[in-house]
Amino acid sequence: MTPGRRSSTFTRLLRHGFTDPSAAERLLDGPELTPVRNDPVLLEALGATADPDLALHGLVRLLEAQSGPAAHRELLDTLIAAKPLRDRLLGVLGASSALADHLARHPSDWQALVTYEPRDLHPGVAEFERGLAEATDPVSLRVAYRRCLLSIAARDVCGTTDVSETAAELADLATATLRAALAMAQASAPEDTEACRLAVIAMGKCGGHELNYVSDVDVIFVAEAADGTTEATALKSATKLASHLMRICSETTIEGSIWPVDANLRPEGRNGPLVRTLSSHLAYYQRWAKTWEFQALLKARPVAGDPDLGQAYVDALEPLVWKAAERENFVADVQKMRRRVVENIPAAEIDRELKLGPGGLRDVEFAVQLLQLVHGRTDPSLRSGTTLDALQALAAGGYVGREDAARLDEAYRFLRSMEHRIQLYRLRRTHLVPEAEPDLRRLGRSLGLRTDPVAGLNREWKRHTGVVRRLHEKLFYRPLLDAVAQLAPGEARLSLEAARERLVALGYADPAAALRHLEALASGVTRKAAIQRTLLPVLLGWFADSADPDAGLLNFRKVSDALGKTPWYLRLLRDEGAAAENLARVLSAGRLAPDLLMRAPEAVALLGDGDGGGLEPRDRAPLEQEILAAVGRAENAGQGVTAARGVRRRELFRTAAADIVGSYGTETSPAEADQGALVDRVGAAVSDLTAATLAGTLRAVVRDGWGDTLPTRFAIVGMGRFGGHELGYGSDADVLFVHEPQDGVDEHEAAAAANKVVAEMRRLLQLPSADPPLLIDADLRPEGKSGPLVRTLKSYEAYYRRWSLVWESQALLRAEPVAGDEELGRRFTELIDPLRYPQRGLGEEAVREIRRLKARMESERLPRGADPKLHTKLGPGGLSDVEWTVQLLQLRHGWHEPGLRTTRTREALSAAREAGLLSAEDAEILDEAWVLATRVRNAVMLVRGRAGDTFPTEPRELAAVGRYLGYGAGHAGDMLDAYRRTTRRARGVVDELFYGAGER
């Protein structure tokens, strides 16, 4: 061959899509293709395939395998003369190396592609049964199966059938194969066959008439005794037959396997019997079945064995399927299962996972099935096991918007086509998009993307998964708005009754009120209503993810009514994804955060900082600076404190919103895993905010009554949780007030001024207003409620020297100056340090006194009727147990362990562990219990809007606490069990460390 000709052929091969023209040229010049090497028809046909190199290689192998010259010539003549065969055969060879292998082993099977009668275009079960009829054993069944598969693949790659028709043909072939396998099993065991009636129920994609090229075939077996046979004998025989059927299809032979038959969708899964009677199936589904099992039954279809028994199975279970949506937490269960599927995908594969990944096939299937279960109860037209047929029926009935359904249909077809072509190549079960460029090129070309197949494939794949991601949630919620909106005449829409059904399924307790809210928000032709119609489908999904969707929607309407005319509000929610989701979480998580927001709705802006910075707690210094500046601008103390309380309200909302978002997680960031970090952030933020508020209030009162200088130096000392930087949302501010007369000022005048300051601060901070009150509690002062509210530093010194009791030393462990004169606060700290960190620690009598006090408190202060094991403060293993244990260690060892000299419980516990005063395991147990009890108290306040030390009894409130703590719908019992378990372990450590089972 001359160089010029080689160059010309080489160029032609490149132009026809060959990636290895040199190898292709050698094959074309080989003996097998000598008669047709110059025929342009062959090159054109090869160039039209998904992989011309693969097709040419497969063709040469097939020609080499022909039985003789006559067979070789017949194949070549037919190939050139008959375009249908040429397109089919080369199309298959260019798409599937596995079917090329089959043809090389069975070189006459190409003739299955020659016929082109109408019945061959869309064969059904009967045609496939004829194709398998000559099979007499598992090996010949595999050969016949592949021959039928060859014809399905040929119609698929040539575009004779679309993806849904191909999937239906694959399901029909599976049906015929199951019947043939059952017949073989029955023929080998006639006695077992006589003893029972056995039906095979197809499930999953086979049952739904939408099977893949390579997939497990999911089945359920049901059997009844034949006349004169006991049930036990019949079940034993039926189990043998079913097991044999599974082996015939699944076992690997010299011709490979067909596909695994999977019976794990049966009652009790792998742990349950392989075969049950109909009454046994029915009893299980009536009593024990989980939501997902009814979802699976959507696709149940009798395919083999006794047809009457198979139909009786479907007829008996169908009514239960359509009642599944009435189950408690139905939607939450289905969505949780979907999330669990995604979470179990290896991180390295999630971006290539075509079926299970975000925006994948399973998203479409779950969304469609969810809608079927909700609305199929009252609309039989929706009861199809086939995803695309069901989607079309949902659109026709107005349950899904027509445009949304069309886009989803297109995306699903494209993704299923990708899945088919990926599996067809090697006939292996996979849902991963390949990474190698040759594989992507072949895949893209097989889908008609010829110009730049790899880039085109990636672009189209990402576009379609993006459509599914955006629509699969919207699919559920969008029609709820159409139900209350004005649509074009003749446009199908969800009926109000269907909308109510859907809202109930989503967990709304008052669907009529929810529809009124939707109508108020989304009706009309204004720009505001249009934006709301865009936002609400997504917001409704987030509300439904909470324990109280009704409250979330109602609160959203209130905020929207308050801010509806503000230009930035809807723009913020529309343009910043984080803001809309954060708002939905906050509005549906309980009463406290929405109440704070309603008093100043403009705080919504805090939710909108795209990087989350808007919810970051502010440090004390800028907070105090803002409050003092506001006080400085006020005309009097009342206005100044009002301004300070307004800042406090806004910052409480910021802290609560950050806590809720961190606890719930969002679509872009998971829930905070470190529960202790959440507790510390809330405690520090609320404590800093309280200190800044007190500083501003003190400045306002002093300026209003005395100008720039008070007759006495004045300091506020935080106590309890306030001093420990551990305040919760509902905590009072425990404080001591200390003063020292200015030089030359009479003590009585100084005391009167100090007392007046305290009285005015307390009054202004709890005046009824739109802002939450801040209660000041000074009961930890010397002599308690009987003693003076304010003392001089000298008076404190005299009291502590003469009268101080051990409980007061313990209380002073948490004392920390928080506002007022810093020098005076420092001197107060120096005064009390010897009391709270006594030299040589505590004497034994003092230790016994603390233990007596603790025991008395447990018995006397626990509220009547409260469950001690669920009381977060006084219950066993609760806050008091942990704190008193840590404080006893501080009193005994703080004098020689500097790390123990802290007001913060967790810091002191960590220092005690570092000092070897308790084991790392005991420290972890105490820390876990303290963090959990604190989280529960915070949750109760967030949910109920008022403080509480026990779990709520009202189911929705309890569920909301559980959601905050990371428990899904229906798992409140698990939450209570976990709390009891955690605190029980902590109480064991407390008994040892505090009550002296092990002296330290």
Side-chain angles (χ1 to χ4, degrees), residues 888-901:
L888 183 58
L889 291 173
Q890 289 179 283
L891 287 166
R892 300 180 79 174
H893 302 284
W895 66 278
H896 67 85
E897 290 293 344
L900 291 173
R901 298 171 203 163

Side-chain angles (χ1 to χ4, degrees), residues 205-206 211-218 258-261 355 423 428-429 431:
K205 283 192 160 39
C206 183
L211 198 60
N212 300 329
Y213 276 103
V214 187
S215 172
D216 291 357
V217 170
D218 297 308
I258 301 177
W259 18 245
V261 176
K355 176 181 177 181
Q423 293 183 350
R428 289 180 183 168
R429 183 180 177 221
H431 310 288

Side-chain angles (χ1 to χ4, degrees), residues 167-168 170-172 174-175 178 200-212 214-221 260-266 285 292-303 313-314 321 337 355 362 365-366 369 372 384-388 390 412 416 419 429 431:
L170 288 165
D172 285 342
T175 297
L178 288 169
V200 184
I201 311 297
M203 304 287 285
K205 283 192 160 39
C206 183
H209 230 70
E210 50 188 15
L211 198 60
N212 300 329
V214 187
S215 172
D216 291 357
V217 170
D218 297 308
V219 300
I220 285 177
F221 296 106
V261 176
D262 188 341
N264 289 335
L265 290 178
R266 66 185 184 270
Y285 283 106
W292 70 263
E293 293 178 279
F294 293 107
Q295 187 180 353
L297 285 171
L298 272 173
K299 297 185 179 293
R301 179 171 65 94
V303 290
Y313 173 91
V314 171
V321 173
M337 185 179 174
K355 176 181 177 181
R362 188 58 59 88
E365 291 157 3
F366 263 61
Q369 289 163 21
Q372 285 181 278
S384 169
T386 307
T387 301
L388 291 177
Y412 188 76
R416 281 302 299 271
E419 182 183 43
R429 183 180 177 221
H431 310 288

Side-chain angles (χ1 to χ4, degrees), residues 58 118 190 217 288 328 392 482 521 561 667 713 728 750 772 884 898 909 915 928 931 948 984 989 997:
V217 170
W288 306 111
E328 189 177 1
Q392 186 177 10
D482 294 340
L521 288 162
D561 287 348
E667 290 187 353
R713 302 170 80 184
W884 280 58
L909 184 57
E928 183 185 5
V931 166
R984 185 170 61 246
V989 176

